PDB file of all heavy atoms in Angstrom:
ATOM      1  N   ASN M 430      90.195 106.505 119.987  1.00 93.00           N
ATOM      2  CA  ASN M 430      88.872 105.968 119.750  1.00 93.00           C
ATOM      3  C   ASN M 430      88.983 104.500 119.361  1.00 93.00           C
ATOM      4  O   ASN M 430      89.636 104.198 118.354  1.00 93.00           O
ATOM      5  CB  ASN M 430      88.176 106.762 118.623  1.00 93.00           C
ATOM      6  CG  ASN M 430      87.877 108.209 118.984  1.00 93.00           C
ATOM      7  OD1 ASN M 430      87.114 108.447 119.907  1.00 93.00           O
ATOM      8  ND2 ASN M 430      88.495 109.110 118.323  1.00 93.00           N
ATOM      9  N   ARG M 431      88.398 103.648 120.118  1.00 92.00           N
ATOM     10  CA  ARG M 431      88.434 102.214 119.804  1.00 92.00           C
ATOM     11  C   ARG M 431      87.577 101.980 118.568  1.00 92.00           C
ATOM     12  O   ARG M 431      86.456 102.465 118.432  1.00 92.00           O
ATOM     13  CB  ARG M 431      87.898 101.379 120.965  1.00 92.00           C
ATOM     14  CG  ARG M 431      88.738 101.435 122.204  1.00 92.00           C
ATOM     15  CD  ARG M 431      88.214 100.502 123.244  1.00 92.00           C
ATOM     16  NE  ARG M 431      88.775 100.754 124.578  1.00 92.00           N
ATOM     17  CZ  ARG M 431      89.922 100.225 125.011  1.00 92.00           C
ATOM     18  NH1 ARG M 431      90.553  99.324 124.235  1.00 92.00           N
ATOM     19  NH2 ARG M 431      90.376 100.476 126.221  1.00 92.00           N
ATOM     20  N   THR M 432      88.135 101.180 117.668  1.00 92.00           N
ATOM     21  CA  THR M 432      87.391 100.854 116.439  1.00 92.00           C
ATOM     22  C   THR M 432      87.487  99.397 116.148  1.00 92.00           C
ATOM     23  O   THR M 432      88.337  98.670 116.692  1.00 92.00           O
ATOM     24  CB  THR M 432      87.993 101.624 115.235  1.00 92.00           C
ATOM     25  OG1 THR M 432      89.383 101.295 115.088  1.00 92.00           O
ATOM     26  CG2 THR M 432      87.842 103.115 115.398  1.00 92.00           C
ATOM     27  N   ASN M 433      86.585  98.892 115.323  1.00 91.00           N
ATOM     28  CA  ASN M 433      86.715  97.534 114.802  1.00 91.00           C
ATOM     29  C   ASN M 433      86.674  97.637 113.291  1.00 91.00           C
ATOM     30  O   ASN M 433      86.734  98.742 112.699  1.00 91.00           O
ATOM     31  CB  ASN M 433      85.538  96.657 115.303  1.00 91.00           C
ATOM     32  CG  ASN M 433      84.168  97.300 115.055  1.00 91.00           C
ATOM     33  OD1 ASN M 433      83.954  97.974 114.080  1.00 91.00           O
ATOM     34  ND2 ASN M 433      83.283  97.130 116.047  1.00 91.00           N
ATOM     35  N   LYS M 434      86.643  96.515 112.602  1.00 92.00           N
ATOM     36  CA  LYS M 434      86.713  96.533 111.149  1.00 92.00           C
ATOM     37  C   LYS M 434      85.525  97.235 110.514  1.00 92.00           C
ATOM     38  O   LYS M 434      85.629  97.698 109.348  1.00 92.00           O
ATOM     39  CB  LYS M 434      86.843  95.089 110.588  1.00 92.00           C
ATOM     40  CG  LYS M 434      85.627  94.201 110.931  1.00 92.00           C
ATOM     41  CD  LYS M 434      85.887  92.811 110.378  1.00 92.00           C
ATOM     42  CE  LYS M 434      84.697  91.898 110.686  1.00 92.00           C
ATOM     43  NZ  LYS M 434      84.916  90.535 110.161  1.00 92.00           N
ATOM     44  N   PHE M 435      84.396  97.318 111.234  1.00 94.00           N
ATOM     45  CA  PHE M 435      83.225  98.056 110.721  1.00 94.00           C
ATOM     46  C   PHE M 435      83.339  99.548 110.914  1.00 94.00           C
ATOM     47  O   PHE M 435      83.123 100.343 109.989  1.00 94.00           O
ATOM     48  CB  PHE M 435      81.960  97.500 111.358  1.00 94.00           C
ATOM     49  CG  PHE M 435      80.739  98.244 110.969  1.00 94.00           C
ATOM     50  CD1 PHE M 435      80.202  98.119 109.712  1.00 94.00           C
ATOM     51  CD2 PHE M 435      80.073  99.065 111.872  1.00 94.00           C
ATOM     52  CE1 PHE M 435      79.057  98.776 109.323  1.00 94.00           C
ATOM     53  CE2 PHE M 435      78.900  99.746 111.519  1.00 94.00           C
ATOM     54  CZ  PHE M 435      78.399  99.616 110.223  1.00 94.00           C
ATOM     55  N   THR M 436      83.690 100.016 112.123  1.00 93.00           N
ATOM     56  CA  THR M 436      83.752 101.405 112.389  1.00 93.00           C
ATOM     57  C   THR M 436      85.064 102.073 112.003  1.00 93.00           C
ATOM     58  O   THR M 436      85.133 103.349 112.003  1.00 93.00           O
ATOM     59  CB  THR M 436      83.531 101.669 113.912  1.00 93.00           C
ATOM     60  OG1 THR M 436      84.588 101.001 114.650  1.00 93.00           O
ATOM     61  CG2 THR M 436      82.181 101.086 114.357  1.00 93.00           C
ATOM     62  N   LYS M 437      86.064 101.294 111.635  1.00 93.00           N
ATOM     63  CA  LYS M 437      87.355 101.883 111.341  1.00 93.00           C
ATOM     64  C   LYS M 437      87.324 102.838 110.156  1.00 93.00           C
ATOM     65  O   LYS M 437      87.908 103.932 110.185  1.00 93.00           O
ATOM     66  CB  LYS M 437      88.373 100.741 111.021  1.00 93.00           C
ATOM     67  CG  LYS M 437      89.783 101.227 110.765  1.00 93.00           C
ATOM     68  CD  LYS M 437      90.695 100.038 110.591  1.00 93.00           C
ATOM     69  CE  LYS M 437      92.137 100.502 110.336  1.00 93.00           C
ATOM     70  NZ  LYS M 437      93.045  99.350 110.026  1.00 93.00           N
ATOM     71  N   ALA M 438      86.575 102.448 109.115  1.00 94.00           N
ATOM     72  CA  ALA M 438      86.506 103.303 107.922  1.00 94.00           C
ATOM     73  C   ALA M 438      85.788 104.629 108.227  1.00 94.00           C
ATOM     74  O   ALA M 438      86.199 105.686 107.757  1.00 94.00           O
ATOM     75  CB  ALA M 438      85.828 102.566 106.774  1.00 94.00           C
ATOM     76  N   PHE M 439      84.718 104.585 108.989  1.00 95.00           N
ATOM     77  CA  PHE M 439      83.984 105.806 109.330  1.00 95.00           C
ATOM     78  C   PHE M 439      84.835 106.737 110.221  1.00 95.00           C
ATOM     79  O   PHE M 439      84.798 107.947 110.048  1.00 95.00           O
ATOM     80  CB  PHE M 439      82.689 105.450 110.014  1.00 95.00           C
ATOM     81  CG  PHE M 439      81.664 104.787 109.143  1.00 95.00           C
ATOM     82  CD1 PHE M 439      81.550 103.387 109.142  1.00 95.00           C
ATOM     83  CD2 PHE M 439      80.852 105.513 108.284  1.00 95.00           C
ATOM     84  CE1 PHE M 439      80.620 102.753 108.310  1.00 95.00           C
ATOM     85  CE2 PHE M 439      79.966 104.883 107.467  1.00 95.00           C
ATOM     86  CZ  PHE M 439      79.828 103.512 107.484  1.00 95.00           C
ATOM     87  N   GLN M 440      85.580 106.096 111.136  1.00 95.00           N
ATOM     88  CA  GLN M 440      86.464 106.895 111.973  1.00 95.00           C
ATOM     89  C   GLN M 440      87.563 107.571 111.140  1.00 95.00           C
ATOM     90  O   GLN M 440      87.951 108.705 111.429  1.00 95.00           O
ATOM     91  CB  GLN M 440      87.116 106.045 113.063  1.00 95.00           C
ATOM     92  CG  GLN M 440      87.846 106.798 114.130  1.00 95.00           C
ATOM     93  CD  GLN M 440      86.973 107.695 114.949  1.00 95.00           C
ATOM     94  OE1 GLN M 440      85.987 107.267 115.524  1.00 95.00           O
ATOM     95  NE2 GLN M 440      87.315 108.996 115.014  1.00 95.00           N
ATOM     96  N   ALA M 441      88.005 106.851 110.079  1.00 94.00           N
ATOM     97  CA  ALA M 441      89.030 107.433 109.202  1.00 94.00           C
ATOM     98  C   ALA M 441      88.515 108.673 108.467  1.00 94.00           C
ATOM     99  O   ALA M 441      89.291 109.594 108.243  1.00 94.00           O
ATOM    100  CB  ALA M 441      89.487 106.386 108.243  1.00 94.00           C
ATOM    101  N   LEU M 442      87.236 108.653 108.066  1.00 94.00           N
ATOM    102  CA  LEU M 442      86.653 109.842 107.442  1.00 94.00           C
ATOM    103  C   LEU M 442      86.689 111.033 108.385  1.00 94.00           C
ATOM    104  O   LEU M 442      86.985 112.187 107.979  1.00 94.00           O
ATOM    105  CB  LEU M 442      85.218 109.542 107.068  1.00 94.00           C
ATOM    106  CG  LEU M 442      84.963 108.572 105.898  1.00 94.00           C
ATOM    107  CD1 LEU M 442      83.482 108.406 105.682  1.00 94.00           C
ATOM    108  CD2 LEU M 442      85.643 109.021 104.642  1.00 94.00           C
ATOM    109  N   ILE M 443      86.380 110.832 109.667  1.00 95.00           N
ATOM    110  CA  ILE M 443      86.404 111.942 110.655  1.00 95.00           C
ATOM    111  C   ILE M 443      87.850 112.397 110.893  1.00 95.00           C
ATOM    112  O   ILE M 443      88.145 113.602 110.907  1.00 95.00           O
ATOM    113  CB  ILE M 443      85.778 111.495 111.952  1.00 95.00           C
ATOM    114  CG1 ILE M 443      84.335 110.991 111.737  1.00 95.00           C
ATOM    115  CG2 ILE M 443      85.762 112.625 112.957  1.00 95.00           C
ATOM    116  CD1 ILE M 443      83.410 111.981 111.090  1.00 95.00           C
ATOM    117  N   ASP M 444      88.778 111.448 111.062  1.00 94.00           N
ATOM    118  CA  ASP M 444      90.185 111.807 111.350  1.00 94.00           C
ATOM    119  C   ASP M 444      90.853 112.517 110.185  1.00 94.00           C
ATOM    120  O   ASP M 444      91.827 113.261 110.355  1.00 94.00           O
ATOM    121  CB  ASP M 444      90.966 110.545 111.768  1.00 94.00           C
ATOM    122  CG  ASP M 444      90.495 110.011 113.089  1.00 94.00           C
ATOM    123  OD1 ASP M 444      89.841 110.713 113.812  1.00 94.00           O
ATOM    124  OD2 ASP M 444      90.822 108.824 113.353  1.00 94.00           O
ATOM    125  N   ALA M 445      90.338 112.285 108.944  1.00 93.00           N
ATOM    126  CA  ALA M 445      90.898 112.964 107.780  1.00 93.00           C
ATOM    127  C   ALA M 445      90.616 114.450 107.847  1.00 93.00           C
ATOM    128  O   ALA M 445      91.402 115.287 107.359  1.00 93.00           O
ATOM    129  CB  ALA M 445      90.333 112.371 106.501  1.00 93.00           C
ATOM    130  N   TYR M 446      89.534 114.876 108.527  1.00 93.00           N
ATOM    131  CA  TYR M 446      89.216 116.291 108.717  1.00 93.00           C
ATOM    132  C   TYR M 446      90.112 116.840 109.846  1.00 93.00           C
ATOM    133  O   TYR M 446      90.544 117.994 109.757  1.00 93.00           O
ATOM    134  CB  TYR M 446      87.724 116.424 109.063  1.00 93.00           C
ATOM    135  CG  TYR M 446      87.297 117.820 109.437  1.00 93.00           C
ATOM    136  CD1 TYR M 446      87.063 118.761 108.437  1.00 93.00           C
ATOM    137  CD2 TYR M 446      87.156 118.211 110.758  1.00 93.00           C
ATOM    138  CE1 TYR M 446      86.654 120.021 108.751  1.00 93.00           C
ATOM    139  CE2 TYR M 446      86.736 119.485 111.090  1.00 93.00           C
ATOM    140  CZ  TYR M 446      86.470 120.406 110.120  1.00 93.00           C
ATOM    141  OH  TYR M 446      86.085 121.672 110.412  1.00 93.00           O
ATOM    142  N   GLY M 447      90.322 116.076 110.865  1.00 93.00           N
ATOM    143  CA  GLY M 447      91.135 116.494 112.010  1.00 93.00           C
ATOM    144  C   GLY M 447      90.846 115.586 113.172  1.00 93.00           C
ATOM    145  O   GLY M 447      89.699 115.177 113.437  1.00 93.00           O
TER     146      GLY M 447
END
Side-chain angles (χ1 to χ4, degrees):
N430 293 296
R431 294 185 194 271
T432 58
N433 51 36
K434 62 182 180 181
F435 175 70
T436 61
K437 184 178 180 181
F439 292 97
Q440 189 65 54
L442 291 179
I443 303 302
D444 292 343
Y446 175 80

